[in-house]
Amino acid sequence: SSFSFDALLKTIEEPPPFVVFILATTDPDKLPLTILSRCQRFDFKRILTKDILESLRKISGTEKLNVKEEVLTLIAKYADGSMRDAEVILDQITSFTRGKVELEDVVRILGIVDEDVLFGLSSSINEKDPVKALKIIGRIVNEGKDMAQVVTGLMEHFRNIAIAKISKDLQE
C-alpha cells in the first residue's frame, strides 16, 4: 500500500549509520520510483545446469558419495537454476537411500514423471487419441504423482523436441 511505502521511504532516507537495507523482490516494477531511486539494483539469474552439475560433482567427491553421473545430472536439471535446491535434493536423496543412489531413487523421491509417460502422452496428442491420453493420466494419478510435475515435465519434453528439431548445436 502507499502508506507502507511512505513509511519505508522515511526509514530509507534517514537510517541509523549501522543499518543496511536489502530488498528482494520478484516484482521490482511494483516498487515506487521513490524507493527504487534510492537503491542499487542487482538482478540475479538462474545458475546454468552445467555449473550446478560441476558443483554437485565436487560435493559428491568431497563427501565420498556413491552417486552416478546420471543422478547428478537429473538433480542439476531438476533444481532449475537454484544451487541451494540442488544441494538440498542431493542431501535428501543420499540420506534416504543410505548408500548407492540409483536414478530410480531420484525419480521416485522427487516425483518426477518417467520419460516413457511423457513420450506416451505426446504421442497420444500427436495421434489425436484422447482415450490413450486419459489412460496414461489415470495411471499417473493412481501412482500419486503430482499433476503439476506432469505438466512441467510435458512442457520441458515439448521444448526439448522443438530444440532438437530446429537446432544444429545441441551441446547446451
Side-chain angles (χ1 to χ4, degrees):
S1 75
S2 176
F3 179 73
S4 300
F5 283 125
D6 289 342
L8 176 62
L9 182 60
K10 175 113 173 94
T11 307
I12 289 175
E13 286 178 334
E14 301 171 16
F18 55 87
V19 173
V20 174
F21 291 99
I22 299 175
L23 304 175
T25 181
T26 55
D27 248 339
D29 298 337
K30 291 188 178 179
L31 293 172
L33 285 175
T34 53
I35 301 290
L36 288 174
S37 67
R38 289 162 174 83
C39 298
Q40 291 181 2
R41 182 171 173 165
F42 299 96
D43 291 320
F44 296 100
K45 308 278 188 254
R46 293 174 192 252
I47 300 170
L48 296 175
T49 302
K50 68 181 180 94
D51 295 333
I52 293 175
L53 179 58
E54 184 58 35
S55 179
L56 293 177
R57 283 184 191 128
K58 288 178 185 172
I59 292 169
S60 294
T62 303
E63 299 293 324
K64 296 178 178 46
L65 302 175
N66 190 359
V67 183
K68 293 181 177 180
E69 180 74 10
E70 62 186 1
V71 170
L72 296 177
T73 302
L74 183 58
I75 292 170
K77 194 170 121 184
Y78 187 82
D80 195 30
S82 170
M83 188 68 73
R84 180 193 51 129
D85 288 355
E87 291 173 358
V88 167
I89 293 167
L90 179 62
D91 183 50
Q92 288 176 342
I93 288 171
T94 53
S95 67
F96 284 139
T97 55
R98 299 188 195 282
K100 188 175 182 183
V101 181
E102 299 291 337
L103 191 62
E104 299 79 39
D105 297 322
V106 180
V107 169
R108 182 177 36 80
I109 290 169
L110 295 178
I112 296 172
V113 181
D114 296 294
E115 284 192 359
D116 62 329
V117 170
L118 298 175
F119 278 106
L121 280 172
S122 63
S123 72
S124 65
I125 292 169
N126 189 41
E127 296 163 7
K128 297 177 177 56
D129 188 348
V131 174
K132 179 180 173 186
L134 287 173
K135 285 181 180 177
I136 294 170
I137 291 169
R139 191 175 83 229
I140 294 168
V141 169
N142 287 337
E143 290 174 0
K145 298 279 187 188
D146 180 4
M147 289 309 291
Q149 285 285 346
V150 175
V151 172
T152 300
L154 202 53
M155 287 174 17
E156 183 178 350
H157 178 71
F158 285 133
R159 177 187 168 276
N160 292 342
I161 290 171
I163 288 172
K165 285 186 172 234
I166 64 171
S167 180
K168 291 179 178 34
D169 179 22
L170 299 178
Q171 191 63 24
E172 283 296 312

